[in-house]
Amino acid sequence: MSDNKLRCALVFRLEGGPSESESGDGIALSSFSPSNVTLLAKYDHATDGGGFASGKSYADAVAMVVGNDMPGNVGEEGVIGGFKVVTSDMHQVVYGADSEGLCLAVVTGLKYPSRTAIQMLNDLYSPYSQQFGLQAKSATNNSLTKKSKTLLAEFCKKYDDSSKVDKASALNAKVDEVKVQMQDNIAAMLKNTEQAESLAERSNQLNEQANVFQKKSKDLRKQMRCKNIKMTIILVSLVVGVLVIILVPLIIRAKKAATGGRMLRGLD
């Protein structure tokens, strides 16, 4: 399990003599042995049940890490440097030291930016060395924990959210927000596109149905006109037939009557 939590801050004193390659006027931190790493103070900022050590065992584990891989050489006095980043499957340890052997370390989750952890150690070094630098030179094991708690807690709280103190982390967070927003926008656009395509398809279907209905209407009107014409012809034929049936006998009778009258007048 990995996260971006800041878990613990620790202070060590690294003791040892100069290396064989040096003239004796400076301490080579790389020459220190694990037995010369003394825990001065520790502050557990966040702990959980995810397999992270805590308390004395946690401090001992970090002391072993520092002792096995000492910070790099620092030639300038009054500054911290030689930073190392050691990671495991669950967390990372970031630490550095000054030329006098004052070592600051911080333990974080794997997703916590190491550059932010180094920035925290740089910011913490000045006030810590000013308040406890002299005591750190002769302090016994874990003797500065209570005295250092307020200062260590202040910096742990300040750097708890890396996005608030690290511009790159803040920028990454904003980029992630923009990515999420863009993904939401794209999803909405795709949804709207699908809806538009569905509406277009329905519109095409309605247009086709309207065309079919219009064609059927025209065909029906033609059929109705044909039927009307046929009915008109039939009715006219019936009327003419009836008139013929009625008028022809009358005409014939009238002609016969007229012929008979002329014949009678001729006899007279």
Side-chain angles (χ1 to χ4, degrees):
M1 180 181 68
S2 61
D3 53 44
N4 61 348
K5 293 181 180 179
L6 192 155
R7 302 195 172 280
C8 182
L10 305 104
V11 182
F12 298 96
R13 182 177 67 245
L14 310 181
E15 298 175 293
S19 64
E20 296 179 356
S21 60
E22 291 184 341
S23 61
D25 57 352
I27 296 178
L29 300 181
S30 58
S31 67
F32 296 155
S33 64
S35 61
N36 290 330
V37 179
T38 302
L39 173 69
L40 300 179
K42 62 183 178 66
Y43 174 72
D44 293 326
H45 179 63
T47 57
D48 60 18
F52 291 89
S54 60
K56 185 176 184 298
S57 61
Y58 193 81
D60 289 344
V62 177
M64 184 176 295
V65 169
V66 175
N68 289 332
D69 188 8
M70 285 291 184
N73 294 332
V74 180
E76 184 179 354
E77 294 184 359
V79 296
I80 188 173
F83 294 103
K84 295 289 183 70
V85 179
V86 179
T87 61
S88 68
D89 293 337
M90 296 181 294
H91 58 282
Q92 68 178 352
V93 181
V94 182
Y95 55 95
D98 64 9
S99 60
E100 296 183 353
L102 179 62
C103 175
L104 304 181
V106 62
V107 181
T108 70
L110 290 177
K111 293 183 179 179
Y112 192 94
S114 58
R115 62 178 176 275
T116 307
I118 293 174
Q119 179 182 340
M120 173 186 170
L121 298 181
N122 276 316
D123 289 348
L124 173 61
Y125 174 76
S126 180
Y128 194 90
S129 61
Q130 289 177 5
Q131 293 185 39
F132 306 104
L134 293 177
Q135 300 178 54
K137 292 180 180 181
S138 59
T140 58
N141 185 68
N142 203 26
S143 61
L144 297 180
T145 293
K146 290 184 179 180
K147 296 179 180 179
S148 306
K149 181 178 180 180
T150 300
L151 183 61
L152 295 179
E154 176 186 347
F155 277 84
C156 285
K157 183 178 180 180
K158 177 181 177 181
Y159 283 85
D160 182 67
D161 187 352
S162 62
S163 64
K164 293 182 179 180
V165 291
D166 182 63
K167 293 182 179 179
S169 296
L171 181 60
N172 289 334
K174 290 182 179 179
V175 169
D176 290 338
E177 291 179 2
V178 172
K179 285 182 179 179
V180 172
Q181 185 64 40
M182 289 298 295
Q183 290 174 351
D184 293 340
N185 292 339
I186 291 173
M189 290 175 62
L190 291 175
K191 185 177 180 180
N192 292 334
T193 301
E194 291 176 357
Q195 293 178 349
E197 290 177 351
S198 178
L199 290 174
E201 184 177 356
R202 291 181 182 179
S203 177
N204 292 333
Q205 291 177 353
L206 290 174
N207 288 334
E208 291 177 359
Q209 292 176 358
N211 292 333
V212 172
F213 179 77
Q214 186 177 5
K215 183 178 179 182
K216 288 183 177 180
S217 298
K218 290 180 179 179
D219 294 339
L220 181 60
R221 284 198 295 270
K222 289 180 180 179
Q223 293 176 2
M224 292 301 296
R225 280 198 296 270
C226 291
K227 287 182 179 181
N228 290 335
I229 292 172
K230 290 179 180 179
M231 290 299 295
T232 301
I233 293 172
I234 291 172
L235 289 174
V236 171
S237 299
L238 288 175
V239 172
V240 171
V242 170
L243 291 176
V244 169
I245 292 172
I246 295 174
L247 294 176
V248 168
L250 292 176
I251 294 171
I252 294 173
R253 288 178 185 176
K255 287 183 177 181
K256 287 182 179 181
T259 304
R262 285 196 297 269
M263 293 176 62
L264 289 176
R265 284 194 296 272
L267 293 176
D268 295 336

